[in-house]
Structures are given as structure tokens and as C-alpha cells.
Amino acid sequence: MKAKSRFNAHIILIVATLTFVTGLWSCQKVIQVNLNSAAPQLVIDASISDQPGPDTVTLSQTVNFNQDNIFPPVTGATVVISDNFGNIDTLKEVDPGKYLVSKMRGIPGRTYFLNVNVNGALYSATSTMPFPVPIDSIAVEKISGQLISNKLRLLISFHDPKGIENYYRILEKILNTQPIDGVIQLPTLGNILTDRLLDGTEINYSAISNQPKLVVGDTVLVSLQSVDKNMYNYFRTVQQNGSMSTTLSNPVTNLTNGALGYFSAYSVRTETVVIPDF
Amino acid sequence: MKITPKIIKSILCVIVLTGISVSAAYSQSQNKYIISGIVKDAKTGETLIGASIVIKELPGTGVTTNTFGFYSMKLPEGTYTVSTQYIGYESKVEKVVLNRDVKLDFNLHEKANELQEITITNSRKNENITSVQMGAQNLNVKEINNIPVIFGEKDVLKTLQLLPGIQPVGEGNSGFYVRGGASDQNLILLDGATVFNASHLLGFFSVFNSDAIKDVTIYKGDAPAQYGGRISSVVDIRMNDGNDEKTIVSGGIGLIDSRLNVEGPIVKDRGSFIVSVRRTYADLFLKLSHDSITKNSRLYFYDLNAKANYRINDNNRIFLSGYLGKDVLGISSFGLNWGNVAGTFRWNHLFSQQLFSNTSLIFSNYKDEIALDRNNSLNIVSKIQNFSLQQDFQYYINPGNTLKFGYNSTYYEIIPGALTSGDSTFNLTNKYCWENAVYVSNELTLSHKLKTEYGLRFTSFSIIGPGAYYTYDSQGNTMDTTDYAAGKFIKTYFNLQPRVEFTYLLSGTSSVKASYDRNIQNLHLISNSTTSNPTSLWLPSSNNVKPEIADQVSLGYYRNFKRNKYEFSAEIYYKKIQNQIDYRNGAQLNFNENVESQLLYGIGRAYGIELYAKKNVGKFTGWLSYTLSRAEQRFALINDGHYYPSTQDRTHDISIVGIYKVSPKWTLSATWVYYTGNAVTFPSGKYSLDGTVVNYYTERNGYRMPPYHRLDLSATWIRKKTATRESSWTFSIYNAYDRANAYTITFQPDPNNPQRTEAIQTTLFKIVPSITYNFKL
């Protein structure tokens, strides 16, 4: 069975239709919104993978929406990662707010624990590393139509292991040192996928949104992360924040004590592809 | 209160006995006879709903026709002057010698030219003052013809939004909020059949083709006892019966769609039919595009209304009505289509001149289908349908005492999601429900000044196997699963819904009214989208989801001026809602077997004041409506358990409608609306994650969209009008001063400066001119 894309694809369709139907009359503009200021909150961006890292834990703070994107690092914290086999790594702060995993390499199937102490306030999280799933192939597809700005997209194929719940996070990164045709690559959080309805099948995944604009000659690195269910929910709820939802909220995190961000133990397999000239 | 069958029985007994004892008190003295009949349009044979019948010799004695144009009153023997009145029609007066039961039908003529109506006949309709019903608004579809609308497409649901207490969901949207209730809390009935999704084209049009519609009544919570199932309002839409005098073809051609309407007699004066069709043709223009995706896109809707009726004899009349509508959207490999199908068979029967019966067999279905179709197809269908038997009796004991009673039994089948991909299928658990209701209500004139209507509706709602049912912990994790066999009753809810209203006439031109009512809702629309979404799911009450319960009290003052030339009303209401539904942060509602785990249950409250002033007759007519209101809700897990504004909370809401008849050929009209922006969630901060910027939210619905306002203008030119033929042009401008109203506001990184984030406002419709040609052959 072949199946593509996420099930909320119809939302994309609806938005596309709205844009299309009303294209004659609708318009967009940047406006000034008077937003409240919010007390700074701790943000934990932590992960451990089955690949030689370096894996890091980044601690920072939120800023008000109208400020510049300069996020104050949280320094001097105690950050400890341990696993259910009794291994412990106390992370060293290598840059302000950046703590390096040095003694540990993730092993699929193990459960990892994160403990953070910031001036006496304790935060923790647990994540179990799933087994990796290799990418079988990556095809490059040409698509046409005014509605889709990307004229090229990637079709990523892999075999979903049968009988277990798998959650994937797929990231694409253009490796060129110089942008080709002046196209700027914006960082994205990638796309997510569950095998809830596709268990044990060959999955051909074509990323429609969040994907950088591809041009001929680009070298693209595709990462297929196997993440746990909490991470799937985290990235699912991050993505909802762009839509016309009445339940906009901070993503559902596995961190305790009100910290923002996540702790993910994931395994990953990667492939590269060069965009051919058709 | 614990409701036992005994209590119900006693309450029903009291109501019936009150009715009978009052009737006994009236009928002691002399001989009494019944005068009854039908009020119709003389030209088309359409029955007129809500026409008033007044007896000149007995001031204060009068009745109005029911939804089938029928009236009945029992009076002492004597000679009477009976007159009937209906808006837009010439009054008619008949002398009657009542020494036996009399059948008296009225055929009313439309007013030839309202411009000549300089002096007003002595007793114009003052129903708004005298009727016991409050919180209700009636729209005669003929009245709305001149109100400007987007793309020139007349729309009854959008016109309703110009009335106090009824507010649009959003720009150009046919969805609406009534008195702080969500849009799924409105019961929309088309000839008695529930319409589960009243939106075409994602809400820009309603499914009601106004060519096919005769009459629309909205009850803002104080609905009579025969209605039930939603807690905010009832919109009762009645289709035209069709002209039983001659065959008429009419229609219209607009920028977006065309309409055609054919009606005529089946047997002259005995039976008639009407068929109305409408289709949009935006997709035809897509074919002209050079872009292959655009060219192969599909985008249209159509609908078909059909109705036939036949009068077997004076005591029996049957009706068959149906609706079929569908929307089709498709771009590239994605497809989405949805639509309603509804059918009603009715039998009106007079058991006696005093006892009117209406029996309806009703079917209604709503289905949506998502197709992702490129190499292999993937297809998800969801559906809700019901079969219903409704029996209503109206017993006209005497002009001051009407008893209504009946029952309803409805069977629901809900397919929340059935996925097919190649050979494999995957189904969410189907839901089967059975809802039963009995009701009784009594409208009673207690004195010349005091009237009351009180009633009781008793409902049961059962969810029936087969299927897997789950229990969840407070975090929404599945605790336990139970599989039920087919036909097994999983959970049944019993509810009593009392209601009472009083009208006290202060004078001939003013009154005060008060009411209390309780309503129950057992079907809940699950959608966390701010716009109309055709794939939203109807979820029944279950072991987890409890019935939503609304209690409302309201108080109103009504005053007419200058012989009913001007109407004024002020109503205040307070509503409390139990078991209100909202969603967990980041709720996953799409194709989720455990969707109930994503729900939160809380309480809600809504209150406000509605002011309404209307000018009924003359060259210049129109109205002004203002609503000041608040709608809030409270959930333990949202905003630390504090009350917060509901999405539909609107502080101020103003509508002004003006229609000016310049000459017999030209009519100008304008509407202006203003309302406070919806309560929304905006980020208060941001943070960095994996090199991207993520929004930080501090509370739900803590911000407001900017205020919305808009002016629409319209001019109608009647090119030709003869007794049989008519043609006209309507020119309209939507959003005449080109206001950029906010449809959405999104917060995102600034593409030109990675160090900044920005707020983007999307405006859906700026100025939109349109032109429509209407004809009648």
C-alpha cells in the first residue's frame, strides 16, 4: 500500500481553496498588535541520539514577542542525563547555556532520564529511544501549478516495521555552503508522521509544507528520526499553532514543572540526494 | 432533582387538567361553535404562516395561523366580524353568523404597491406586543429580498445575523452564534428535517436557496416545547408549497451562480409542486486557466429543493419535501466533498375542527468524504443520519386556550470515520443512538392583560451497541475498554425540560414578558477550528460525554409607536450552561478513535441586553439592533480554572438595515454592521527551539481580534413588471468602504529579518461588487 502525507492534508486543501476562491479580493498585511509582556520562562531543548553527536542540551529563556530574537541563555545549571542501565553523565557547560553530552551514546531500546537544576528549581523528563528505520530511497518529483510554490519535492520511501507503534520526524536540510539562486533556507522543525493507519507498509512520504525551496544542483540531507510518542505529540502540537485553531497553546511537553521545550531520545538514519536537472 | 416516572406523570396530569378545567370554565354558559380554516395567498395558493385572525366584537380575541396556515377558534353563538391580517397583504373582513361550526378560508391579496400606503389601517399587526412568545424573530422571505448580501446571493441565515442576539461566526460566514452559544448549539430545521451542516463553500453560502423558502423563524432559546435537541436556538425554515393556481418559472443569474425555480398546480386548487435548483459555476472559469493544477481543480456546489402537496379533502392534506445539496472541492490529488440529503413526508389531519394533527416521517443525512488520490486512492468517509417520527397535536380549546402535545422518536447512526485504502479498510467505532421525547404545552389567556405559555418536554437519549467504549483518566489516557453487543443499551440519559413564559399587557401598545426555559443537547459538534469545517464530527452523549444543559431566564419590554408603525423591544437574558465542552491544549480531533479523551467539560454563562427598533411601513423601512453581551466559560484545566471569554463572546454588536423605495421601479438599501472582535489566543512571548522560533502562549482567549465593521449597498431596478412577468436587476457592493477586516492574524518569523517576528493579518473580502438578474415567466 502506498499512502502519502498526513491526514490533516485536507486542512491544507481548505486553506489553499480559500486562498484560491478569494484570491481576487483577499489581501495580507503586516500589522502591529499590542501584546502583553510575559515573565521569562525556562526553555529546555534537549536530545540524545544513537549517532555520534555531539548531543547537547540548551537552556534559554523566553522573551516578549515584540523583542528581537535574542534569547538569554541560562547558565550555571546542573544538567544530568542517565539511562535505565545505571549510566550517568553530568553535562559540562561548553558555551553559555549549552551543555554537552560527552560520556554517553544513545542505544535504541533504552530509557533516558533528564534532570535539570536551575538555582534549586528542578525539572525532569523521560524518553525511550525507538529502534531506527532506514531510508530505502529518495525520489525527486517535479510538480506544476501556481498554487504550490515549490516546483520540486522529495518522495522519501521506507518500510515501517510491523506490529509496533512508530513515530517519525523527518527533516530536510540543504547542505550547500552557498544558497543557489539566492534562495534562503529557513530552519524548520520538520514533519511528523505516525504509522497508526500505515502499520507495516511501505511508506512514501512527500513533504508538502515546511520544506525548503529546492533548486537543481542542491544537495539535500534527509534525516528520518524515530521518536517516541511524546515527541510525536510535541511536534504535532507545535505545528497546530500555525492553523486557525481555537485551542492554540504551548505544545504538549514531556518536561515537568512548567518548562517549555522537550527531551527527546531518538534514533536516526540519513540519506543525501542531489537534485537532478530534468 | 431526581426525575422519576411518577413525577413526570403528575406534571403531565397537572398540565392537561389545567387546560381542560379552563376550557370547562369557558364553556358553561351558552352554545359554542367552532370557526376554522386556512389562510392563503390568493395568487399563489401558498398558505400563510402566522397570519392573525381577529374578532371585532370580542376585543382581545384572536389567534394566529400555524405552520400550515390553519387556525381554529371556539366562540359563543353569535354574529361576528372576522378579519385577517398579514404583513404585506391586504386585510380581509368577513361577516359570519355562528350558529353551527363554520369553515372559513381566507385568500389574501398581496398589496399592489406599498408606496400608496400613506395612511395606515387602524389595527396593524401588533403581534410582537401581544404574543406570549419572546426571544423569537420571524423573517418573511419577501421582506429580505432587498437586503444587500455578498455576491448578490440572498441568504436567510445571513439576514438572521442582522437581528439582535444573533452574530456571524466570521467574515461572509453563514454560521452564527445565538446569545453566546456556539454555532453547533443551533437546531436548523428545513421542513422539520435537521440540517447537520448548513454551509456551502466553507461557510460563504448557506444551504438554503431563498427561492425555495417561505418562512423562517428563529427562537433564541425560548422555543416552544415541540422543539428540542439544541441549547441555544431553533431556526425553523419552511419551504414554499408551490403555486396551485398556475405554473410559474422564475430564476436568477448572478456572478457566482444561477437559480431556476419551477412551480405549479398538480391539480388546480388541490395540489401543487415546486422544484428549485441552484448551481455555482466558478469552476467553469477554472477550465480557462493555463495552469494545469488550476485547470483540473473542481470547485462547485449545487442544491435542489423539491416539494409537492396534495389536499385529499378538507380534513386531510399530505406533503412530500426533499433537499439535496453537495459541495465538491478538488485540487490536484486532494478531494473533499460534502452534502446534506433530507426528506420529509407529512400528513395534516383534522380529527375535528378543534384538533389539528401533523404526522411527519423525516430522514436526514450528512456526509463528507476526503479523497487523497494519486497513485493509489485513500478515502475517508464520515456520516451522520437519522430517521425520525414526529407527531404533533394542536387542540384549540377556545381562543384563549390552546393545548399542544406530541412525541418524537429519532434513531441516529453516526459513522465518525471509515477509511479505505486500496483493499484495506479501517473504521472508527460507529455510534448508534435513539432519542425519544414527549411534550405538552399550554397557551392560556389568564385575563385581558395576562397570558402564559408553559410546557414540559421529557427526553431520553440512549447510546446503543455494538461498539467499543472507553473510559479515560483525568489526563485523557485510556483506562478501560468495554465491547458492547449489538442492541445493548450502553448509557441512557433522561431529562426534563420545563419552560414557562408570561406576557403582561401594559396597554394596547406595550407589554412586558418574562420567561424561563431549560434545553438539553445530546449531539455535540467537535471542531476546534475558527471557521466552518465540513469535516467536523458530530459526537453523541456517551458514557464520557454528558448532555449539555442550558437554563435561561429572560425579561423583555415591548412598545409600539404611531399605530404600530414603529416597533421597539428590549430583552435581557441570563443563561447558564452545564457540561459545556472544550478541548485539551493541542487536542487531536481528526480521525481519532479516542476523540472523547481530548475533551474537557466545564460550565458556561452568557448574559446580555438586546435592543431592537424597527420601522415597518412607508417609503423607508428598516431596523436598528444593538446587543451588549458576554459569554464566558470555566474549565478546571484551562487558564488555571478561571472564567475566560468564549470564542463567541462579543461585547458590542450593532446592525443597521435601511431600505428606501425611491419609486415603483427603484429600491435602494444599505446595511452596516459592527461587532467586537472574537476572543482569540495570541502569543505573549517566544523562544528558540532547534534554531527556529516558537510562540509562547500564556492563556487561552486572552486577546481580541480587531473590531469588525462593514457597509453594504444595494440597488434593485425592476425593469418590467406585469401581472405575470417580472424582471429585475440587482446591483450590490459588499464592504463599500473597503475596510480591511481581519479574518486571521498569525504570528511568524519576519522573512526579511531573521532577528524579528511579525503579525500578519489576512483579509478575506475587500470591496466586492456584484450584479444579479432575476426573472419570472
Side-chain angles (χ1 to χ4, degrees):
Chain A
M1 185 185 88
K2 282 186 165 189
K4 341 204 144 55
S5 196
R6 303 196 306 273
F7 284 96
N8 57 359
H10 68 272
I11 300 295
I12 298 166
L13 169 73
I14 287 169
V15 172
T17 310
L18 283 180
T19 317
F20 177 70
V21 171
T22 62
L24 278 171
W25 300 285
S26 65
C27 71
Q28 287 199 326
K29 66 176 181 191
V30 175
I31 56 163
Q32 286 306 311
V33 181
N34 205 1
L35 296 170
N36 302 333
S37 55
Q41 288 287 313
L42 176 66
V43 180
I44 300 176
D45 185 348
S47 48
I48 181 162
S49 76
D50 66 336
Q51 296 296 311
D55 290 320
T56 55
V57 172
T58 306
L59 304 186
S60 62
Q61 283 189 324
T62 60
V63 299
N64 290 334
F65 194 85
N66 297 328
Q67 287 173 249
D68 279 350
N69 293 341
I70 298 165
F71 303 97
V74 175
T75 58
T78 309
V79 180
V80 177
I81 291 181
S82 55
D83 69 11
N84 56 344
F85 282 74
N87 303 306
I88 296 179
D89 188 356
T90 303
L91 276 54
K92 208 178 123 191
E93 190 171 1
V94 288
D95 279 320
K98 197 169 183 180
Y99 301 79
L100 186 72
V101 180
S102 53
K103 289 192 220 154
M104 250 192 203
R105 167 82 62 82
I107 296 171
R110 288 193 180 179
T111 299
Y112 292 86
F113 309 97
L114 172 76
N115 284 286
V116 175
N117 181 335
V118 180
N119 298 328
L122 302 176
Y123 307 87
S124 64
T126 305
S127 182
T128 299
M129 186 178 292
F131 288 88
V133 175
I135 296 169
D136 294 339
S137 64
I138 302 171
V140 182
E141 286 193 315
K142 201 172 181 179
I143 45 176
S144 62
Q146 293 167 341
L147 293 168
I148 298 161
S149 58
N150 280 337
K151 302 296 179 196
L152 295 168
R153 69 178 166 195
L154 303 179
L155 195 65
I156 301 146
S157 305
F158 53 96
H159 275 91
D160 180 70
K162 200 171 174 59
I164 45 170
E165 285 181 20
N166 291 88
Y167 302 95
Y168 302 102
R169 181 180 174 209
I170 300 162
L171 292 155
E172 293 149 79
K173 191 179 182 193
I174 299 173
L175 294 178
N176 314 337
T177 48
Q178 292 295 317
I180 295 174
D181 293 351
V183 176
I184 298 167
Q185 179 183 6
L186 287 171
T188 75
L189 291 174
N191 291 301
I192 47 154
L193 182 71
T194 161
D195 68 346
R196 185 160 60 107
L197 303 170
L198 305 167
D199 186 42
T201 63
E202 186 204 342
I203 296 176
N204 291 273
Y205 186 82
S206 81
I208 292 167
S209 58
N210 297 350
Q211 169 180 267
K213 192 172 267 184
L214 301 172
V215 292
V216 173
D218 278 346
T219 302
V220 185
L221 174 73
V222 176
S223 305
L224 179 63
Q225 291 187 2
S226 292
V227 297
D228 70 4
K229 189 178 180 177
N230 286 333
M231 276 312 103
Y232 173 78
N233 272 326
Y234 183 87
F235 290 107
R236 179 178 65 76
T237 48
V238 161
Q239 291 188 347
Q240 274 190 347
N241 286 350
S243 67
M244 289 181 284
S245 163
T246 58
T247 53
L248 287 182
S249 61
N250 298 317
V252 182
T253 177
N254 57 351
L255 295 163
T256 60
N257 205 7
L260 299 163
Y262 64 83
F263 170 53
S264 175
Y266 65 92
S267 59
V268 62
R269 292 295 176 267
T270 56
E271 285 293 332
T272 55
V273 65
V274 178
I275 306 296
D277 197 353
F278 285 91
Chain B
M1 182 177 77
K2 191 152 166 53
I3 299 156
T4 65
K6 206 174 159 188
I7 294 179
I8 298 154
K9 221 168 141 185
S10 350
I11 293 172
L12 293 182
C13 273
V14 169
I15 293 182
V16 174
L17 285 178
T18 315
I20 289 168
S21 63
V22 172
S23 108
Y26 266 79
S27 56
Q28 285 163 1
S29 54
Q30 54 198 124
N31 289 336
K32 293 202 164 195
Y33 298 100
I34 299 157
I35 175 166
S36 66
I38 304 268
V39 180
K40 292 197 296 180
D41 179 314
K43 209 165 105 190
T44 66
E46 287 282 345
T47 54
L48 300 176
I49 301 171
S52 53
I53 317 288
V54 194
I55 307 293
K56 197 181 165 193
E57 289 78 6
L58 303 170
T61 302
V63 292
T64 53
T65 54
N66 70 9
T67 45
F68 303 95
F70 175 79
Y71 75 94
S72 166
M73 53 181 133
K74 192 173 190 176
L75 300 170
E77 185 172 346
T79 303
Y80 297 110
T81 315
V82 186
S83 73
T84 179
Q85 290 149 7
Y86 189 68
I87 280 185
Y89 286 79
E90 307 278 1
S91 295
K92 206 157 189 181
V93 182
E94 297 268 0
K95 277 270 184 209
V96 172
V97 179
L98 199 64
N99 52 17
R100 59 186 172 81
D101 289 351
V102 170
K103 272 206 74 88
L104 181 62
D105 292 346
F106 287 95
N107 291 317
L108 302 189
H109 287 273
E110 240 183 299
K111 277 185 184 132
N113 192 344
E114 280 198 76
L115 288 180
Q116 293 163 355
E117 191 179 37
I118 296 154
T119 53
I120 295 135
T121 46
N122 53 4
S123 78
R124 252 197 63 82
K125 245 181 105 144
N126 65 345
E127 264 303 301
N128 62 318
I129 303 288
T130 59
S131 82
V132 72
Q133 184 67 51
M134 68 181 296
Q137 297 271 0
N138 181 269
L139 275 187
N140 183 325
V141 173
K142 286 196 180 115
E143 277 187 307
I144 72 166
N145 279 358
N146 291 315
I147 294 172
V149 278
I150 190 160
F151 302 127
E153 183 68 22
K154 286 175 285 184
D155 196 316
V156 292
L157 292 189
K158 284 189 204 156
T159 308
L160 283 181
Q161 296 166 5
L162 298 168
L163 296 170
I166 305 165
Q167 293 150 359
V169 162
E171 176 82 82
N173 202 305
S174 61
F176 55 95
Y177 303 131
V178 177
R179 290 186 170 172
S183 57
D184 72 321
Q185 294 171 350
N186 305 314
L187 178 66
I188 301 177
L189 298 172
L190 180 65
D191 268 1
T194 304
V195 177
F196 290 104
N197 180 355
S199 295
H200 275 311
L201 207 68
L202 309 168
F204 298 130
F205 298 92
S206 84
V207 298
F208 305 110
N209 175 354
S210 57
D211 284 355
I213 305 300
K214 167 153 67 174
D215 183 270
V216 180
T217 303
I218 184 164
Y219 302 96
K220 294 181 280 190
D222 310 301
Q226 71 255 39
Y227 302 103
R230 302 287 186 278
I231 58 173
S232 277
S233 79
V234 176
V235 181
D236 191 357
I237 299 173
R238 299 285 164 172
M239 279 166 57
N240 278 323
D241 297 325
N243 194 316
D244 70 359
E245 300 292 321
K246 65 190 284 275
T247 303
I248 303 268
V249 177
S250 60
I253 298 165
L255 286 181
I256 291 284
D257 70 338
S258 283
R259 294 165 281 115
L260 188 68
N261 186 63
V262 182
E263 55 187 307
I266 297 172
V267 177
K268 198 165 185 291
D269 292 334
R270 286 198 89 84
S272 59
F273 74 94
I274 179 167
V275 178
S276 302
V277 290
R278 173 169 72 154
R279 192 194 190 282
T280 60
Y281 34 64
D283 54 319
L284 301 180
F285 296 114
L286 302 183
K287 300 266 178 276
L288 304 174
S289 168
H290 294 296
D291 182 77
S292 67
I293 287 193
T294 310
K295 200 170 179 169
N296 295 321
S297 294
R298 287 143 289 154
L299 171 73
Y300 62 89
F301 71 76
Y302 61 82
D303 46 30
L304 168 73
N305 291 74
K307 188 167 181 178
N309 77 90
Y310 186 72
R311 193 175 301 126
I312 299 165
N313 55 39
D314 279 352
N315 293 335
N316 291 286
R317 191 177 187 196
I318 52 172
F319 300 79
L320 190 63
S321 53
Y323 169 82
L324 170 72
K326 194 168 182 181
D327 278 70
V328 178
L329 298 180
I331 294 175
S332 177
S333 59
F334 302 106
L336 172 62
N337 59 62
W338 72 93
N340 294 279
V341 180
T344 309
F345 172 76
R346 286 170 183 284
W347 171 41
N348 286 356
H349 176 66
L350 282 179
F351 283 97
S352 75
Q353 298 310 311
Q354 276 177 290
L355 183 60
F356 178 90
S357 153
N358 172 50
T359 311
S360 309
L361 285 170
I362 302 164
F363 166 76
S364 180
N365 168 300
Y366 173 74
K367 187 172 137 177
D368 69 79
E369 188 174 4
I370 302 164
L372 305 172
D373 178 36
R374 250 177 15 171
N375 303 331
N376 270 307
S377 66
L378 176 76
N379 169 326
I380 306 173
V381 171
S382 50
K383 187 169 100 169
I384 177 167
Q385 68 179 23
N386 69 20
F387 299 92
S388 182
L389 169 67
Q390 168 101 20
Q391 175 62 53
D392 302 303
F393 293 102
Q394 291 166 18
Y395 183 39
Y396 298 91
I397 299 163
N398 63 50
N401 189 356
T402 306
L403 193 66
K404 295 179 183 173
F405 53 98
Y407 63 87
N408 175 287
S409 183
T410 305
Y411 178 74
Y412 293 94
E413 188 184 330
I414 301 170
I415 298 176
L419 182 148
T420 318
S421 176
D423 304 329
S424 51
T425 57
F426 185 93
N427 268 26
L428 302 182
T429 302
N430 293 349
K431 304 279 166 68
Y432 305 93
C433 322
W434 190 28
E435 189 167 33
N436 283 287
V438 288
Y439 72 88
V440 57
S441 74
N442 182 212
E443 188 179 334
L444 197 61
T445 303
L446 297 168
S447 74
H448 285 310
K449 299 204 157 192
L450 188 62
K451 272 194 210 176
T452 181
E453 180 165 2
Y454 57 99
L456 191 64
R457 184 179 174 89
F458 174 67
T459 55
S460 74
F461 185 90
S462 308
I463 185 145
I464 304 170
Y469 285 79
Y470 308 89
T471 50
Y472 304 101
D473 66 11
S474 60
Q475 301 302 308
N477 301 311
T478 308
M479 302 266 284
D480 192 28
T481 308
T482 313
D483 274 301
Y484 289 92
K488 175 97 180 149
F489 281 68
I490 297 156
K491 181 84 189 169
T492 299
Y493 290 99
F494 295 103
N495 283 101
L496 262 186
Q497 300 167 58
R499 63 206 65 213
V500 58
E501 297 180 55
F502 288 99
T503 294
Y504 183 76
L505 291 176
L506 299 168
S507 70
T509 56
S510 65
S511 64
V512 287
K513 303 182 191 184
S515 77
Y516 160 76
D517 61 272
R518 164 171 279 204
N519 286 295
I520 302 291
Q521 179 158 350
N522 279 303
L523 284 172
H524 322 276
L525 190 67
I526 302 305
S527 166
N528 62 357
S529 167
T530 52
T531 58
S532 154
N533 180 350
T535 62
S536 301
L537 171 74
W538 284 99
L539 195 68
S541 296
S542 69
N543 53 324
N544 295 306
V545 183
K546 292 187 180 61
E548 292 171 88
I549 302 172
D551 290 289
Q552 179 179 263
V553 287
S554 49
L555 188 68
Y557 172 73
Y558 307 80
R559 174 92 161 88
N560 287 4
F561 298 93
K562 297 211 169 170
R563 292 158 148 190
N564 302 319
K565 197 172 171 181
Y566 298 93
E567 278 176 37
F568 169 78
S569 70
E571 290 184 2
I572 56 173
Y573 65 90
Y574 183 89
K575 187 157 66 174
K576 210 177 146 196
I577 300 165
Q578 301 170 52
N579 306 329
Q580 177 134 329
I581 294 172
D582 207 329
Y583 311 100
R584 287 180 188 279
N585 286 339
Q588 214 298 60
L589 305 177
N590 289 330
F591 204 78
N592 185 353
E593 172 75 3
N594 299 109
V595 70
E596 289 179 357
S597 71
Q598 305 293 300
L599 309 183
L600 297 171
Y601 310 100
I603 56 172
R605 62 183 181 197
Y607 47 93
I609 180 164
E610 299 166 354
L611 304 176
Y612 181 61
K614 187 178 181 195
K615 183 170 182 291
N616 280 313
V617 288
K619 270 192 154 190
F620 182 79
T621 57
W623 69 82
L624 199 155
S625 109
Y626 171 69
T627 308
L628 175 67
S629 65
R630 176 153 289 173
E632 297 172 313
Q633 52 197 34
R634 195 168 88 180
F635 290 80
L637 293 181
I638 302 174
N639 291 359
D640 302 323
H642 296 121
Y643 269 108
Y644 63 94
S646 311
T647 303
Q648 57 270 22
D649 179 52
R650 301 259 170 85
T651 312
H652 304 283
D653 184 281
I654 303 169
S655 303
I656 300 173
V657 176
I659 299 164
Y660 185 64
K661 290 204 173 188
V662 181
S663 71
K665 286 205 174 282
W666 280 95
T667 304
L668 303 178
S669 66
T671 59
W672 185 74
V673 295
Y674 172 96
Y675 55 79
T676 308
N678 282 356
V680 287
T681 306
F682 286 158
S684 294
K686 59 188 174 184
Y687 55 97
S688 166
L689 198 72
D690 269 13
T692 67
V693 175
V694 178
N695 296 338
Y696 169 50
Y697 299 93
T698 51
E699 60 179 324
R700 190 178 288 186
N701 288 357
Y703 289 92
R704 287 278 165 190
M705 294 292 274
Y708 180 100
H709 53 91
R710 193 189 79 227
L711 175 73
D712 302 338
L713 301 171
S714 166
T716 300
W717 176 49
I718 298 173
R719 200 173 69 91
K720 206 165 89 183
K721 187 172 185 176
T722 66
T724 53
R725 287 170 180 237
E726 197 177 313
S727 68
S728 66
W729 288 91
T730 300
F731 310 90
S732 59
I733 301 173
Y734 181 88
N735 196 2
Y737 55 79
D738 204 20
R739 154 95 177 163
N741 283 303
Y743 184 64
T744 60
I745 294 177
T746 48
F747 296 84
Q748 60 181 50
D750 183 342
N752 303 317
N753 180 357
Q755 285 307 304
R756 300 293 298 174
T757 39
E758 61 183 16
I760 302 278
Q761 172 183 306
T762 303
T763 297
L764 216 47
F765 296 117
K766 297 201 76 184
I767 188 164
V768 184
S770 63
I771 178 166
T772 308
Y773 174 70
N774 287 305
F775 63 90
K776 196 190 256 185
L777 302 172

